[in-house]
Amino acid sequence: MTVEFISVGTEILLGNIVNTNAAYLSEQCAALGLSCYHQSVVGDNEERLEEAVRQALSRSDILILSGGLGPTKDDLTKEVVAKVFGKELYEDTHTKERIEAYFKRVRSEQVTPNNWKQAMVPEGAKVVDNHNGTAPGLIMEEDGKTAILLPGPPNEIKPMFERDIAPYLNRLQPEGIYSKMVKICSIGESKAETMVADLMDAQTNPTIAPYAKTGEVHFRVTAKAASPKEAKKLFAPLMDELFGRFGDKIYTTEEEVTLEAAIVSLLEDDKMTLTTAESCTGGLLAGRIMNVAGASNVYREGYITYSNDAKERLLGVKRETLMQYGAVSAQTAEEMARGAAKAAGADAALSVTGIAGPAGGTPEKPVGLVYVGCYVKGHVRVEEFHFTGNRDKNREFAVARALTLLREELIGRK
């Protein structure tokens, strides 16, 4: 089945907000095995929105619209879709009661008359309760076509999709759609995709699709099957093949497990502790680790040593090292890692020092040059990287490479 997305809102067209909903819906529907060939953004204009809805329904089985379900006059999604389907609007008592209850619960303001606009729903539509706002979702079906209307705020659309819409879409398929995520680090996107090119060329059921992440590559393996048990049988040969090709570069096959979570788990298994010493990343590395629930079991403390003085005073980096090699050097990264481990009394330490940009580079040490040091129980490994993004991207990639380096060293000890 084919699905198409229309994001509604002039503020998206003007660039006032980033259209994260489209990315989210695309990923979720791909995971459900739906094919998407078109997606668009339409401003708050009735004529243009109607044209876009009619065109989308003419070529796709399912149309998902996000946004335009609010209480104001420029929120037109529901009215336009009802017009296209030839349906009148009526006041839904259940939705009105939920809106009243919502305002009583938040007690932030009184219900204004325009809020009752959100209780008006098209005839025959299935109402999807909004547990995080006032605008309900709607499902409309007619002549083999389906339109799904969802609220715009991400904190409303995501829980609604996962709670109600994903199960609904799954039921539309003649077979169930099951998927597993294979997450890989220590290898680049191009090489990873080349290593599975033959599998992708020959795929039927299950299928494999690559997703590039910062410093990682993810493969989603999707199968159509009558039951989870049957899907597991379909998965098995392909999963064995992937493990045969990538080995321990696969750090998880669970959707919810992040690289930092996998690393925390490795440290816990080995009863090891960790510290970090950061210069150009300024705490981003520590933040990634502390995002993991239970990280306090392994993470001791961290050091942000942006200045040379801090590197000397907190980490014991030798002044001679800084004078001879500079703050951005393999030698400094090594001493930062050793010094952090000693200061924190930790078994492992990561250090990052580099030139994130946009200024500060020289011909000898250009912007994007980063050294990452990894200390594990007396052994230090330092890697040199040359990133080519902007300041934010360079810092993000430095953190990703640091985490990958630590995992490699922990795995290498086993």
Side-chain angles (χ1 to χ4, degrees):
M1 301 183 75
T2 58
V3 63
E4 186 164 338
F5 309 111
I6 297 179
S7 303
V8 182
T10 301
E11 66 277 12
I12 303 175
L13 284 176
L14 296 177
N16 299 135
I17 63 172
V18 177
N19 188 10
T20 58
N21 286 342
Y24 170 78
L25 292 171
S26 296
E27 187 173 30
Q28 294 299 311
C29 288
L32 291 168
L34 297 168
S35 299
C36 176
Y37 304 125
H38 304 277
Q39 55 179 271
S40 57
V41 177
V42 182
D44 302 308
N45 178 277
E46 182 175 358
E47 182 180 344
R48 288 191 287 273
L49 180 55
E50 180 181 347
E51 179 185 6
V53 169
R54 291 189 184 278
Q55 184 180 41
L57 289 172
S58 72
R59 63 193 178 194
S60 301
D61 302 306
I62 302 165
L63 171 61
I64 300 180
L65 301 101
S66 59
L69 297 181
T72 61
K73 291 182 179 179
D74 62 350
D75 291 308
L76 302 166
T77 301
K78 177 173 51 185
E79 290 77 7
V80 169
V81 176
K83 177 182 177 182
V84 171
F85 275 76
K87 304 294 182 181
E88 296 293 329
L89 299 177
Y90 73 96
E91 186 175 82
D92 180 58
T93 303
H94 170 75
T95 300
K96 184 174 182 180
E97 290 173 351
R98 287 187 60 83
I99 293 172
E100 288 179 312
Y102 176 87
F103 276 95
K104 287 180 181 178
R105 186 169 67 251
V106 298
R107 297 176 181 175
S108 59
E109 55 185 287
Q110 296 295 317
V111 183
T112 56
N114 60 352
N115 282 114
W116 303 130
K117 176 177 181 287
Q118 295 179 303
M120 301 296 291
V121 305
E123 298 171 328
K126 299 176 182 178
V127 177
V128 181
D129 290 340
N130 187 342
H131 297 274
N132 299 278
T134 55
L138 297 165
I139 300 174
M140 301 178 66
E141 302 166 324
E142 188 82 17
D143 298 328
K145 301 288 185 177
T146 301
I148 300 173
L149 286 62
L150 301 175
N155 67 325
E156 297 180 28
I157 192 173
K158 290 182 179 180
M160 182 181 290
F161 188 93
E162 290 162 16
R163 177 189 175 104
D164 298 293
I165 305 304
Y168 167 82
L169 292 173
N170 216 12
R171 289 193 296 270
L172 294 184
Q173 297 281 359
E175 296 177 296
I177 304 297
Y178 304 90
S179 66
K180 293 186 75 67
M181 184 67 83
V182 178
K183 298 185 179 182
I184 298 168
C185 61
S186 301
I187 191 168
E189 177 190 3
S190 298
K191 184 177 179 181
E193 189 168 349
T194 300
M195 290 173 65
V196 297
D198 60 317
L199 300 178
M200 295 175 67
D201 289 341
Q203 64 187 359
T204 53
N205 186 29
T207 60
I208 179 172
Y211 297 87
K213 304 292 182 179
T214 302
E216 302 177 36
V217 180
H218 297 178
F219 290 108
R220 184 178 293 280
V221 181
T222 305
K224 293 182 179 181
S227 67
K229 184 178 180 180
E230 182 64 27
K232 188 175 181 179
K233 290 180 181 178
L234 291 170
F235 282 138
L238 184 52
M239 295 297 288
D240 289 344
E241 189 65 32
L242 290 173
F243 271 95
R245 299 185 185 197
F246 292 102
D248 61 16
K249 291 181 174 61
I250 297 175
Y251 71 82
T252 187
T253 58
E254 301 298 327
E255 178 87 45
E256 68 279 4
V257 175
T258 61
L259 178 57
E260 53 267 31
I263 290 170
V264 168
S265 180
L266 285 173
L267 291 165
E268 287 182 317
D269 290 344
D270 291 342
K271 295 180 172 53
M272 293 175 61
T273 53
L274 173 68
T275 186
T276 54
E278 304 178 63
S279 184
C280 64
T281 49
L284 287 180
L285 176 56
R288 278 281 295 270
I289 296 165
M290 295 311 297
N291 282 339
V292 181
S296 58
N297 295 330
V298 301
Y299 190 76
R300 283 289 179 88
E301 57 193 52
Y303 306 90
I304 300 175
T305 56
Y306 208 68
S307 68
N308 285 359
D309 175 69
K311 291 178 178 68
E312 291 183 53
R313 181 166 39 85
L314 298 175
L315 304 177
V317 176
K318 297 183 182 67
R319 181 168 298 181
E320 294 79 7
T321 301
L322 293 167
M323 293 294 291
Q324 182 175 354
Y325 301 105
V328 180
S329 64
Q331 292 80 4
T332 296
E334 177 176 350
E335 292 188 21
M336 287 174 66
R338 288 189 184 277
K342 181 179 179 180
D347 301 302
L350 284 171
S351 65
V352 184
T353 181
I355 306 169
T362 66
E364 295 77 20
K365 295 184 178 182
V367 168
L369 173 64
V370 174
Y371 291 93
V372 175
C374 179
Y375 170 99
V376 177
K377 293 200 169 182
H379 170 72
V380 179
R381 174 181 165 192
V382 178
E383 293 289 335
E384 177 181 320
F385 300 98
H386 293 265
F387 303 122
T388 58
N390 58 24
R391 181 178 178 83
D392 290 341
K393 282 298 180 182
N394 289 340
R395 296 170 76 219
E396 287 175 17
F397 272 107
V399 169
R401 296 305 186 203
L403 291 171
T404 298
L405 181 56
L406 175 58
R407 181 179 180 274
E408 289 174 358
E409 290 299 294
L410 294 174
I411 291 292
R413 296 180 68 252
K414 294 185 180 296

